[in-house]
Amino acid sequence: MTDTNRARPLIYTGLGAVVFVALVIAGFGALSFATNTEVIAAGGLGPLPAVIGITAATIAFAATLLSRSLSRPGLGAAALAALLAAAVHLLAVTVAALFTLPGAAAAVASHVVLGGYSVLVFLAGIVAGALTVVGFRSGSGTPQWPWEKHDDDE
């Protein structure tokens, strides 16, 4: 296995994680704007639970896809990564809210689920995971022009 082939799963997982975070942030902004609500609707929490939630979800997403990258993963791996990312996001936001403002943890968890933010994390995970899996399954060679290919027949 060459160095390029060893680094390939890391590169695709990193790119998939970046796409996942970008989709989650854009989706949260659009949903928050469309519904005229805050992502975390409890006053006094600050941005820490949201940051912890997205960070934990991204780590779960990337770790799931990276662990599946040794075998040729299918779209089931993308669905599993998306499901774990959504569950970890909800858990991390709830626990962070519990430690920051204990009385608001249940309200924060219900708002994240009922407001559609958990579904949005799942959908972002599906899209980013599918793109990552397609990258894993694509050909491993680098593209070459016809004149760059060396024919052994000559």
Side-chain angles (χ1 to χ4, degrees):
M1 188 178 247
T2 64
D3 288 336
T4 305
N5 288 339
R6 285 187 206 144
R8 199 160 176 259
L10 291 172
I11 292 169
Y12 280 113
T13 302
L15 291 173
V18 168
V19 169
F20 172 73
V21 170
L23 288 173
V24 167
I25 290 172
F28 278 7
L31 186 58
S32 177
F33 180 75
T35 60
N36 198 22
T37 60
E38 295 291 326
V39 176
I40 298 179
L45 281 178
L48 191 61
V51 171
I52 290 172
I54 295 299
T55 303
T58 304
I59 290 170
F61 175 80
T64 304
L65 285 178
L66 193 58
S67 70
R68 300 286 184 178
S69 69
L70 297 177
S71 61
R72 285 179 55 98
L75 293 179
L80 178 64
L83 185 64
L84 286 175
V88 166
H89 175 262
L90 177 62
L91 180 67
V93 167
T94 304
V95 169
L98 184 66
F99 283 114
T100 307
L101 193 62
V108 167
S110 65
H111 177 71
V112 168
V113 172
L114 298 176
Y117 295 100
S118 288
V119 172
L120 203 127
V121 172
F122 177 75
L123 292 176
I126 288 286
V127 171
L131 292 173
T132 305
V133 166
V134 167
F136 285 153
R137 295 181 65 90
S138 67
S140 63
T142 57
Q144 294 180 339
W145 291 103
W147 58 83
E148 293 179 314
K149 296 179 183 173
H150 299 289
D151 290 336
D152 292 335
D153 298 337
E154 296 179 344

